[in-house]
């Protein structure tokens, strides 16, 4: 039995422990973090948007991890099978980026040498704008994207770790309608026809060494918005998993999932065929990779090994006893990440 949170109240006690672990479908828990220096040093906060269609993808991140900050821009071309990611870092940001305490209101901006990102939240719509010079050679990337049709329900998860004072508070908003353009140099990339977006809104104090799996899809099936959020490895999920299907603005809870990441010679084979299943026979998906946005960083005590794999999903997702959604090649992503941070 998964615990569904039904009332608004503080997320944390005075020692940064989650008061009620579980999930809900809107932003009920109140993010009341401690703001002393030690907590600011340890707290990780980010807003990540992925905007994509069957041809192109754009990923934008503004993150403040206490001892370091990160701003990231990725562009992906699924037809030509290439991607570029640039991620400037900052030292000892300590909460200075002023991430909002709720996903419902508040703007977020960040800038540095040769770039700027802006996430404007007008509640009924969100505006994502920015630029980065020297993104592709000497070419500048510029983007102007509007997100609308924010669904009524999403996945909100309150997850403790098996260490006192560590927690993860997260919301994923799938299936927002996206419209706009991305320019790289003189080339224009159209982000309008059947383009969707997901927001990954994360706040928490993590343990040092973590490996997680995350998969996300936002698309249209027979012109109706459909998507999912699947994942595990984000702390102690005994109270609730973060697995959820979304259809026409409504959320349908799943229990436990397995990504079925293939292996060859006891090593992960990211370009192999993945097989997604769950323990209640609601999920049976084949994932065929197109592009692995891979990155590895090893800097003394900080290490990150990331594989965000983009590809096409085929198979069935069962909403309830009477409705099953069939996927026939809609494009999403699945990732495996290990961070020592």
């Amino acid at each position: 039995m998964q615990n569904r949170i039904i009332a608004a109240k503080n997320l944390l006690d005075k020692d940064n422990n989650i008061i009620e672990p579980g999930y809900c479908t809107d932003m009920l828990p109140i993010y009341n973090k401690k703001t002393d220096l030690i907590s600011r040093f340890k707290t990780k906060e980010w807003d990540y948007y992925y905007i994509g269609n069957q041809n192109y993808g754009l990923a934008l991140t503004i993150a403040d991890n206490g001892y370091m900050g990160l701003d990231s821009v990725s562009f992906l071309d699924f037809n030509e099978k290439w991607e570029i990611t640039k991620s400037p870092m900052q030292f000892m940001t300590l909460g200075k980026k002023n991430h909002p305490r709720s996903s419902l209101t508040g703007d977020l901006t960040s800038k540095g040498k040769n770039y700027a990102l802006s996430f404007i939240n007008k509640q009924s719509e969100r505006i994502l704008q920015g630029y980065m010079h020297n993104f592709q050679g000497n070419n500048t990337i510029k983007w102007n994207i509007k997100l609308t049709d924010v669904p009524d329900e999403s996945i909100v998860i309150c997850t403790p770790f098996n260490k006192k004072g560590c927690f993860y508070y997260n919301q994923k908003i799938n299936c927002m309608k996206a419209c706009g353009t991305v320019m790289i140099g003189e080339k224009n990339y159209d982000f309008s026809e059947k383009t969707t977006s997901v927001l990954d809104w994360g706040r928490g104090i993590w343990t040092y060494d973590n490996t997680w799996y995350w998969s996300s899809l936002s698309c249209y099936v027979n012109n109706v918005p459909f998507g999912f959020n699947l994942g595990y490895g984000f702390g102690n999920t005994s109270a609730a998993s973060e697995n959820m299907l979304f259809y026409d603005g409504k959320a349908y809870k799943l229990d436990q999932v397995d990504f079925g990441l293939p292996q060859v010679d006891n090593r992960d084979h990211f370009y192999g065929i993945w097989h997604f299943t769950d323990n209640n026979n609601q999920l049976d998906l084949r994932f065929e990779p197109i592009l692995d946005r891979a990155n590895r960083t090893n800097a003394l005590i900080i290490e990150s090994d990331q594989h965000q794999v983009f590809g096409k999903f085929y198979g069935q997702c069962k909403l309830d006893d009477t409705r099953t959604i069939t996927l026939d090649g809609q494009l999403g992503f699945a990732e495996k990440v290990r961070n020592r941070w």
Side-chain angles (χ1 to χ4, degrees), residues 6-26:
I6 59 174
K9 57 185 169 184
N10 283 339
L11 173 73
L12 303 168
D13 66 17
K14 63 181 180 61
D15 297 315
N16 277 337
N17 298 303
I18 287 183
I19 295 171
E20 183 182 5
Y23 81 98
C24 46
T25 59
D26 52 9

Side-chain angles (χ1 to χ4, degrees), residues 1-7 9-11 17-26 28-29 154-161 167-171 234 236-244 253:
M1 180 66 69
Q2 301 187 66
N3 180 50
R4 180 164 184 170
I5 299 168
I6 59 174
K9 57 185 169 184
N10 283 339
L11 173 73
N17 298 303
I18 287 183
I19 295 171
E20 183 182 5
Y23 81 98
C24 46
T25 59
D26 52 9
L28 290 177
S154 61
I155 176 64
V156 179
I157 189 79
C158 305
T159 307
F161 287 84
F167 69 94
Y168 181 39
Y169 184 34
N170 180 235
Q171 181 185 34
F234 301 92
N236 182 349
T237 57
S238 59
S241 74
E242 66 167 70
N243 302 314
M244 191 85 83
K253 192 74 180 70

Side-chain angles (χ1 to χ4, degrees), residues 125-263:
E125 65 181 34
R126 297 165 187 254
I127 308 297
L128 313 179
Q129 296 176 323
Y131 69 88
M132 182 175 283
H133 296 314
N134 303 318
F135 181 76
Q136 185 186 51
N138 294 325
N139 290 327
T140 294
I141 184 172
K142 301 177 182 178
W143 60 91
N144 188 350
I145 306 287
K146 179 189 288 188
L147 309 182
T148 58
D149 298 358
V150 180
D152 292 334
E153 297 185 347
S154 61
I155 176 64
V156 179
I157 189 79
C158 305
T159 307
F161 287 84
N162 293 325
K163 181 179 179 181
K164 290 184 177 180
C166 294
F167 69 94
Y168 181 39
Y169 184 34
N170 180 235
Q171 181 185 34
K172 307 287 198 335
I173 305 177
N174 288 68
C175 300
M176 290 181 284
K177 182 179 180 180
C179 185
T181 58
V182 176
M183 294 284 295
I184 302 180
E186 298 299 317
K187 186 167 184 178
N188 178 58
Y189 295 90
D190 182 26
F191 279 73
S192 56
E193 184 66 24
K194 291 190 175 179
T195 300
T196 56
S197 179
V198 60
L199 167 63
D200 173 12
W201 187 94
R203 308 290 187 264
I205 295 177
W206 288 58
T207 51
Y208 175 61
D209 193 340
N210 300 272
T211 298
W212 72 72
Y213 297 78
W214 177 37
S215 181
S216 182
L217 175 70
S218 294
C219 65
Y220 293 94
V221 176
N222 298 324
N223 294 318
V224 178
F226 173 78
F228 56 65
N229 182 79
L230 310 174
Y232 50 97
F234 301 92
N236 182 349
T237 57
S238 59
S241 74
E242 66 167 70
N243 302 314
M244 191 85 83
L245 304 175
F246 307 99
Y247 183 70
D248 201 17
K250 299 299 180 182
Y252 300 84
K253 192 74 180 70
L254 300 174
D255 189 15
Q256 304 300 318
V257 301
D258 183 85
F259 281 27
L261 171 58
Q263 292 196 330

